[in-house]
PDB file of all heavy atoms in Angstrom:
ATOM      1  N   ASP A 940       4.153   4.449   5.812  1.00  0.00           N
ATOM      2  CA  ASP A 940       5.209   5.116   4.980  1.00  0.00           C
ATOM      3  C   ASP A 940       6.126   4.065   4.486  1.00  0.00           C
ATOM      4  O   ASP A 940       6.959   3.498   5.329  1.00  0.00           O
ATOM      5  CB  ASP A 940       5.921   6.131   5.940  1.00  0.00           C
ATOM      6  CG  ASP A 940       7.042   6.845   5.143  1.00  0.00           C
ATOM      7  OD1 ASP A 940       7.335   6.458   3.964  1.00  0.00           O
ATOM      8  OD2 ASP A 940       7.671   7.730   5.727  1.00  0.00           O
ATOM      9  N   VAL A 941       6.015   3.720   3.198  1.00  0.00           N
ATOM     10  CA  VAL A 941       6.782   2.589   2.703  1.00  0.00           C
ATOM     11  C   VAL A 941       8.301   2.835   2.729  1.00  0.00           C
ATOM     12  O   VAL A 941       9.057   1.884   2.500  1.00  0.00           O
ATOM     13  CB  VAL A 941       6.243   2.148   1.320  1.00  0.00           C
ATOM     14  CG1 VAL A 941       4.802   1.763   1.346  1.00  0.00           C
ATOM     15  CG2 VAL A 941       6.519   3.291   0.300  1.00  0.00           C
ATOM     16  N   ALA A 942       8.743   3.995   2.925  1.00  0.00           N
ATOM     17  CA  ALA A 942      10.107   4.426   2.963  1.00  0.00           C
ATOM     18  C   ALA A 942      10.696   4.220   4.337  1.00  0.00           C
ATOM     19  O   ALA A 942      11.868   4.380   4.484  1.00  0.00           O
ATOM     20  CB  ALA A 942      10.299   5.866   2.535  1.00  0.00           C
ATOM     21  N   ASP A 943       9.923   3.727   5.308  1.00  0.00           N
ATOM     22  CA  ASP A 943      10.354   3.639   6.678  1.00  0.00           C
ATOM     23  C   ASP A 943      10.105   2.226   7.154  1.00  0.00           C
ATOM     24  O   ASP A 943       9.027   1.761   7.170  1.00  0.00           O
ATOM     25  CB  ASP A 943       9.598   4.611   7.522  1.00  0.00           C
ATOM     26  CG  ASP A 943      10.028   4.566   9.015  1.00  0.00           C
ATOM     27  OD1 ASP A 943      11.005   5.233   9.389  1.00  0.00           O
ATOM     28  OD2 ASP A 943       9.334   3.949   9.784  1.00  0.00           O
ATOM     29  N   ASP A 944      11.242   1.555   7.539  1.00  0.00           N
ATOM     30  CA  ASP A 944      11.165   0.133   8.042  1.00  0.00           C
ATOM     31  C   ASP A 944      10.163   0.000   9.244  1.00  0.00           C
ATOM     32  O   ASP A 944       9.403  -0.969   9.221  1.00  0.00           O
ATOM     33  CB  ASP A 944      12.515  -0.368   8.506  1.00  0.00           C
ATOM     34  CG  ASP A 944      13.520  -0.441   7.342  1.00  0.00           C
ATOM     35  OD1 ASP A 944      13.098  -0.525   6.162  1.00  0.00           O
ATOM     36  OD2 ASP A 944      14.690  -0.410   7.645  1.00  0.00           O
ATOM     37  N   SER A 945      10.284   0.849  10.198  1.00  0.00           N
ATOM     38  CA  SER A 945       9.379   0.622  11.380  1.00  0.00           C
ATOM     39  C   SER A 945       7.908   0.892  11.009  1.00  0.00           C
ATOM     40  O   SER A 945       7.084   0.221  11.555  1.00  0.00           O
ATOM     41  CB  SER A 945       9.840   1.544  12.546  1.00  0.00           C
ATOM     42  OG  SER A 945       9.803   2.913  12.171  1.00  0.00           O
ATOM     43  N   SER A 946       7.677   1.840  10.135  1.00  0.00           N
ATOM     44  CA  SER A 946       6.263   2.107   9.759  1.00  0.00           C
ATOM     45  C   SER A 946       5.682   0.937   9.028  1.00  0.00           C
ATOM     46  O   SER A 946       4.565   0.524   9.254  1.00  0.00           O
ATOM     47  CB  SER A 946       6.169   3.311   8.872  1.00  0.00           C
ATOM     48  OG  SER A 946       4.880   3.544   8.362  1.00  0.00           O
ATOM     49  N   THR A 947       6.451   0.299   8.166  1.00  0.00           N
ATOM     50  CA  THR A 947       5.962  -0.811   7.473  1.00  0.00           C
ATOM     51  C   THR A 947       5.800  -2.064   8.297  1.00  0.00           C
ATOM     52  O   THR A 947       4.784  -2.739   8.213  1.00  0.00           O
ATOM     53  CB  THR A 947       7.062  -1.248   6.307  1.00  0.00           C
ATOM     54  OG1 THR A 947       7.329  -0.020   5.569  1.00  0.00           O
ATOM     55  CG2 THR A 947       6.560  -2.253   5.389  1.00  0.00           C
ATOM     56  N   ARG A 948       6.674  -2.316   9.293  1.00  0.00           N
ATOM     57  CA  ARG A 948       6.491  -3.367  10.179  1.00  0.00           C
ATOM     58  C   ARG A 948       5.241  -3.138  11.101  1.00  0.00           C
ATOM     59  O   ARG A 948       4.485  -3.988  11.307  1.00  0.00           O
ATOM     60  CB  ARG A 948       7.738  -3.554  11.073  1.00  0.00           C
ATOM     61  CG  ARG A 948       8.901  -4.268  10.364  1.00  0.00           C
ATOM     62  CD  ARG A 948      10.009  -4.715  11.335  1.00  0.00           C
ATOM     63  NE  ARG A 948      10.463  -3.536  12.097  1.00  0.00           N
ATOM     64  CZ  ARG A 948      11.559  -2.814  11.691  1.00  0.00           C
ATOM     65  NH1 ARG A 948      12.128  -3.010  10.532  1.00  0.00           N
ATOM     66  NH2 ARG A 948      11.974  -1.880  12.480  1.00  0.00           N
ATOM     67  N   ALA A 949       5.112  -1.884  11.564  1.00  0.00           N
ATOM     68  CA  ALA A 949       3.925  -1.536  12.386  1.00  0.00           C
ATOM     69  C   ALA A 949       2.611  -1.798  11.571  1.00  0.00           C
ATOM     70  O   ALA A 949       1.575  -2.250  12.164  1.00  0.00           O
ATOM     71  CB  ALA A 949       3.979  -0.090  12.826  1.00  0.00           C
ATOM     72  N   ALA A 950       2.576  -1.427  10.288  1.00  0.00           N
ATOM     73  CA  ALA A 950       1.449  -1.615   9.421  1.00  0.00           C
ATOM     74  C   ALA A 950       1.143  -3.131   9.354  1.00  0.00           C
ATOM     75  O   ALA A 950      -0.083  -3.467   9.515  1.00  0.00           O
ATOM     76  CB  ALA A 950       1.634  -0.978   8.040  1.00  0.00           C
ATOM     77  N   ALA A 951       2.139  -3.939   9.155  1.00  0.00           N
ATOM     78  CA  ALA A 951       1.900  -5.352   9.015  1.00  0.00           C
ATOM     79  C   ALA A 951       1.365  -5.917  10.385  1.00  0.00           C
ATOM     80  O   ALA A 951       0.487  -6.747  10.406  1.00  0.00           O
ATOM     81  CB  ALA A 951       3.223  -6.011   8.713  1.00  0.00           C
ATOM     82  N   ASP A 952       1.914  -5.442  11.534  1.00  0.00           N
ATOM     83  CA  ASP A 952       1.425  -5.808  12.838  1.00  0.00           C
ATOM     84  C   ASP A 952      -0.071  -5.452  12.964  1.00  0.00           C
ATOM     85  O   ASP A 952      -0.838  -6.179  13.523  1.00  0.00           O
ATOM     86  CB  ASP A 952       2.297  -5.249  13.975  1.00  0.00           C
ATOM     87  CG  ASP A 952       3.659  -5.895  14.026  1.00  0.00           C
ATOM     88  OD1 ASP A 952       3.929  -6.903  13.437  1.00  0.00           O
ATOM     89  OD2 ASP A 952       4.464  -5.206  14.613  1.00  0.00           O
ATOM     90  N   ARG A 953      -0.429  -4.235  12.550  1.00  0.00           N
ATOM     91  CA  ARG A 953      -1.748  -3.770  12.623  1.00  0.00           C
ATOM     92  C   ARG A 953      -2.717  -4.655  11.827  1.00  0.00           C
ATOM     93  O   ARG A 953      -3.773  -5.078  12.346  1.00  0.00           O
ATOM     94  CB  ARG A 953      -1.948  -2.353  12.220  1.00  0.00           C
ATOM     95  CG  ARG A 953      -3.341  -1.789  12.321  1.00  0.00           C
ATOM     96  CD  ARG A 953      -3.352  -0.321  12.306  1.00  0.00           C
ATOM     97  NE  ARG A 953      -4.642   0.248  12.022  1.00  0.00           N
ATOM     98  CZ  ARG A 953      -5.580   0.395  12.862  1.00  0.00           C
ATOM     99  NH1 ARG A 953      -5.518  -0.061  14.150  1.00  0.00           N
ATOM    100  NH2 ARG A 953      -6.792   0.918  12.497  1.00  0.00           N
ATOM    101  N   VAL A 954      -2.287  -5.035  10.683  1.00  0.00           N
ATOM    102  CA  VAL A 954      -3.146  -5.918   9.790  1.00  0.00           C
ATOM    103  C   VAL A 954      -3.316  -7.257  10.496  1.00  0.00           C
ATOM    104  O   VAL A 954      -4.364  -7.842  10.544  1.00  0.00           O
ATOM    105  CB  VAL A 954      -2.515  -6.039   8.375  1.00  0.00           C
ATOM    106  CG1 VAL A 954      -3.271  -7.115   7.570  1.00  0.00           C
ATOM    107  CG2 VAL A 954      -2.472  -4.725   7.612  1.00  0.00           C
ATOM    108  N   ALA A 955      -2.182  -7.791  11.003  1.00  0.00           N
ATOM    109  CA  ALA A 955      -2.170  -9.115  11.723  1.00  0.00           C
ATOM    110  C   ALA A 955      -3.096  -9.115  12.921  1.00  0.00           C
ATOM    111  O   ALA A 955      -3.588 -10.180  13.344  1.00  0.00           O
ATOM    112  CB  ALA A 955      -0.775  -9.526  12.011  1.00  0.00           C
ATOM    113  N   ALA A 956      -3.343  -7.984  13.536  1.00  0.00           N
ATOM    114  CA  ALA A 956      -4.225  -7.929  14.656  1.00  0.00           C
ATOM    115  C   ALA A 956      -5.693  -8.080  14.233  1.00  0.00           C
ATOM    116  O   ALA A 956      -6.470  -8.469  15.077  1.00  0.00           O
ATOM    117  CB  ALA A 956      -4.129  -6.574  15.380  1.00  0.00           C
ATOM    118  N   PHE A 957      -5.996  -7.926  12.987  1.00  0.00           N
ATOM    119  CA  PHE A 957      -7.367  -8.072  12.446  1.00  0.00           C
ATOM    120  C   PHE A 957      -7.516  -9.443  11.668  1.00  0.00           C
ATOM    121  O   PHE A 957      -8.687  -9.983  11.735  1.00  0.00           O
ATOM    122  CB  PHE A 957      -7.706  -6.952  11.449  1.00  0.00           C
ATOM    123  CG  PHE A 957      -7.925  -5.635  12.069  1.00  0.00           C
ATOM    124  CD1 PHE A 957      -6.901  -4.788  12.373  1.00  0.00           C
ATOM    125  CD2 PHE A 957      -9.166  -5.214  12.430  1.00  0.00           C
ATOM    126  CE1 PHE A 957      -7.107  -3.513  12.958  1.00  0.00           C
ATOM    127  CE2 PHE A 957      -9.429  -3.981  13.049  1.00  0.00           C
ATOM    128  CZ  PHE A 957      -8.372  -3.119  13.272  1.00  0.00           C
ATOM    129  N   VAL A 958      -6.597  -9.868  10.961  1.00  0.00           N
ATOM    130  CA  VAL A 958      -6.765 -11.002  10.078  1.00  0.00           C
ATOM    131  C   VAL A 958      -5.609 -12.013  10.180  1.00  0.00           C
ATOM    132  O   VAL A 958      -4.553 -11.622  10.668  1.00  0.00           O
ATOM    133  CB  VAL A 958      -7.016 -10.634   8.613  1.00  0.00           C
ATOM    134  CG1 VAL A 958      -8.320  -9.738   8.416  1.00  0.00           C
ATOM    135  CG2 VAL A 958      -5.752  -9.859   8.106  1.00  0.00           C
ATOM    136  N   ASP A 959      -5.824 -13.252   9.718  1.00  0.00           N
ATOM    137  CA  ASP A 959      -4.780 -14.220   9.757  1.00  0.00           C
ATOM    138  C   ASP A 959      -4.151 -14.459   8.350  1.00  0.00           C
ATOM    139  O   ASP A 959      -3.240 -15.316   8.238  1.00  0.00           O
ATOM    140  CB  ASP A 959      -5.266 -15.550  10.289  1.00  0.00           C
ATOM    141  CG  ASP A 959      -6.427 -16.143   9.495  1.00  0.00           C
ATOM    142  OD1 ASP A 959      -6.836 -15.589   8.501  1.00  0.00           O
ATOM    143  OD2 ASP A 959      -6.819 -17.233   9.969  1.00  0.00           O
TER     144      ASP A 959
END
Side-chain angles (χ1 to χ4, degrees):
D940 177 356
V941 301
D943 181 83
D944 294 339
S945 61
S946 175
T947 306
R948 283 191 305 270
D952 290 344
R953 179 162 164 79
V954 173
F957 286 88
V958 295
D959 61 358

